[in-house]
Amino acid sequence: MILSPKKIYLMLIVLGAILMTFDHLTSNALTDVVSPSGLGNACAPCGAPCVDNQSK
Amino acid sequence: MSKAASMPSAVRRPLSFERGSLALFASLAVLIAGLVSLDTGLTGVGLFILGGLLGAMFLLFQYGFASVWRHALVRGEVMGLAAHFLLIGLCAIVFIPASSLGLSAAGTVAPVTISLFVGAFIFGLGMQLANGCGSGVLYSFGSGSGRMMVALPFFIIGSVLGSFLLPSALGWGSAGPVAIAGGLSDGLRTIVNLAFISVAGFGFYLLGRHRGQQLSKRLVLACLIIAALCWAVFVLSGHPWGVTFGFTLWGAKLAQDIGIPVENFTFWQWPGPARALSHSLLSDISSLMNIGMVLGAAMVAAGSGQLSRQNWPSGQQLVAAAVGGVLMGIGARLSFGCNIGAFLGGIASGSLHGWIWFVVAMTGSWAGIQIRPRFGLEK
């Protein structure tokens, strides 16, 4: 590898920070932090709905 | 000439460069905390700081899951598993009776589905190939690990693929959410679940003692500190700590940026994920804490000079990290989380899915360990 892990790592961190800031500034903001499980008929941390005794 | 100026440049430079990295990470942390405080106030900042503390503690104590499970399966060293159940038991004391304790928070009781079995097995296998689980990938990435610089992006890709698969995978069959001793009062439910957790924890502890192993005080201290941080996350966020949804969200947002209509997929039309996709990722608890965890670990690594000591693993091992990352991503979505969200959060919430996740992911880990030598990794 030409570049050391540290150099690549620092570039990734800076790139990530830029992308995160861009996303934050161009997205709608909420007044509270939230999780996907907090809305709808969520049954799992990812927000998947409850599906009881269902099979295809 | 000053003492510093007389030192050879090769000796001076690494130290100052680590200082530069530390300053960069601290500046980013302040920037993010500032952005978060403007929208979500002290709760957001608090969760960001808790993520940072968790990242720092995981790295300082080298607290992990993948290597502990591997050492248990290969060498019969089970004290690490006893420590995992100690942490889970400590969390359960607060998670299960939350409402009786007057907390506006609730544990994670996810459904028992066929996808849970499939996903947990895939996750366990991937965890051994990548050499880290969800939290392990994050804090090791934060410490500048070359392996995790490959595993993390592929974990993100895998979790987006998993989000596309999950809606149809739920149709394979489900028994719904199963709370252990669910019909009992909070107090009795806590006692029953603590009894199960104790049987597992003491079982591993006694087995370890029988084999001449010791549970180190350092590991017990790590469990106590991490449990306290998990309690704080639970109280502040209203649910147990979770890691992998953040990865899924990051990947979905990046996929949208390159023109993939992620929002048309069923998973991203469910209310929770849809809201996360259409709002800032700093509003999402999992993302916010993950970013904190990376920066917390990064600051510890920079402060201890760890960043400069990282080396690239072999090409074969990087391929294993990529494959393991994809498998963990898919597995985490199909099985409702990773070692943190499903194993720790699930069992500590008194959910049957957490126990199933543990047993099946351990089986997947065994399969992954058999494959490791093909990628130049020791068993």
Side-chain angles (χ1 to χ4, degrees):
Chain A
M1 295 279 182
I2 297 169
L3 290 176
S4 69
K6 182 174 175 178
K7 284 179 183 164
I8 298 276
Y9 170 69
L10 291 174
M11 284 192 272
L12 285 174
I13 289 285
V14 171
L15 176 66
I18 292 169
L19 288 172
M20 182 212 63
T21 308
F22 178 77
D23 173 77
H24 182 71
L25 297 177
T26 56
S27 302
N28 297 320
L30 291 166
T31 54
D32 198 6
V33 279
V34 293
S35 288
S37 57
L39 268 189
N41 184 28
C43 219
C46 65
C50 285
V51 187
D52 290 349
N53 302 316
Q54 182 184 326
S55 60
K56 268 188 176 174
Chain B
M1 190 182 284
S2 71
K3 191 177 176 183
S6 67
M7 290 170 71
S9 60
V11 174
R12 266 200 330 266
R13 199 179 298 148
L15 186 60
S16 64
F17 199 54
E18 295 286 306
R19 274 191 200 140
S21 302
L22 190 57
L24 170 69
F25 302 141
S27 304
L28 288 176
V30 169
L31 167 74
I32 293 165
L35 289 174
V36 170
S37 69
L38 291 174
D39 293 327
T40 57
L42 287 178
T43 308
V45 175
L47 287 166
F48 176 62
I49 291 171
L50 285 171
L53 290 173
L54 281 162
M57 290 304 121
F58 268 66
L59 183 61
L60 278 173
F61 287 102
Q62 286 294 304
Y63 195 91
F65 295 88
S67 60
V68 167
W69 288 25
R70 187 165 63 251
H71 293 160
L73 289 167
V74 175
R75 303 182 197 162
E77 295 172 1
V78 292
M79 282 302 187
L81 288 175
H84 288 168
F85 279 96
L86 171 62
L87 173 61
I88 290 171
L90 290 168
C91 289
I93 290 169
V94 174
F95 290 5
I96 299 175
S99 59
S100 300
L101 296 172
L103 301 172
S104 56
T108 301
V109 183
V112 174
T113 61
I114 299 294
S115 77
L116 167 66
F117 286 82
V118 175
F121 183 87
I122 292 173
F123 189 97
L125 198 159
M127 182 170 83
Q128 295 305 335
L129 293 183
N131 242 13
C133 58
S135 55
V137 167
L138 262 187
Y139 84 76
S140 300
F141 173 83
S143 71
S145 159
R147 186 193 311 275
M148 297 315 172
M149 278 188 261
V150 172
L152 181 58
F154 281 92
F155 199 144
I156 291 169
I157 292 168
S159 67
V160 175
L161 294 175
S163 75
F164 297 162
L165 294 171
L166 181 61
S168 58
L170 288 177
W172 296 342
S174 170
V178 180
I180 295 172
L184 303 178
S185 66
D186 276 357
L188 286 174
R189 217 180 130 225
T190 306
I191 290 168
V192 170
N193 277 280
L194 281 176
F196 283 123
I197 294 165
S198 300
V199 166
F202 277 113
F204 285 124
Y205 176 78
L206 293 174
L207 181 62
R209 288 296 296 243
H210 178 69
R211 292 173 175 171
Q213 299 158 13
Q214 296 253 325
L215 181 58
S216 74
K217 287 177 184 166
R218 184 181 164 80
L219 196 50
V220 173
L221 179 64
C223 289
L224 294 173
I225 293 172
I226 293 169
L229 293 172
C230 287
W231 292 339
V233 171
F234 182 72
V235 171
L236 212 51
S237 69
H239 56 73
W241 174 32
V243 171
T244 58
F245 179 76
F247 296 164
T248 316
L249 181 60
W250 300 352
K253 279 179 173 279
L254 284 171
Q256 268 190 328
D257 290 342
I258 60 171
I260 299 172
V262 172
E263 65 280 3
N264 292 343
F265 287 85
T266 304
F267 179 95
W268 295 103
Q269 291 176 349
W270 290 336
R275 177 177 62 180
L277 191 61
S278 60
H279 289 86
S280 163
L281 56 79
L282 293 182
S283 304
D284 172 61
I285 291 173
S286 176
S287 296
L288 187 57
M289 288 191 62
N290 287 355
I291 294 166
M293 196 167 185
V294 168
L295 288 176
M299 283 192 257
V300 169
S304 60
Q306 207 170 319
L307 290 179
S308 299
R309 293 198 298 268
Q310 297 285 2
N311 294 310
W312 289 112
S314 71
Q316 254 186 324
Q317 293 182 13
L318 291 178
V319 171
V323 173
V326 170
L327 292 176
M328 280 195 290
I330 295 171
R333 280 291 56 84
L334 295 186
S335 64
F336 314 115
C338 63
N339 297 63
I340 300 298
F343 175 47
L344 169 60
I347 295 179
S349 301
S351 175
L352 180 62
H353 94 283
W355 288 98
I356 292 172
W357 197 96
F358 168 60
V359 173
V360 180
M362 187 64 88
T363 312
S365 282
W366 179 85
I369 289 166
Q370 309 312 309
I371 301 171
R372 279 171 62 91
R374 297 186 185 192
F375 292 95
L377 295 161
E378 64 175 12
K379 269 194 177 181

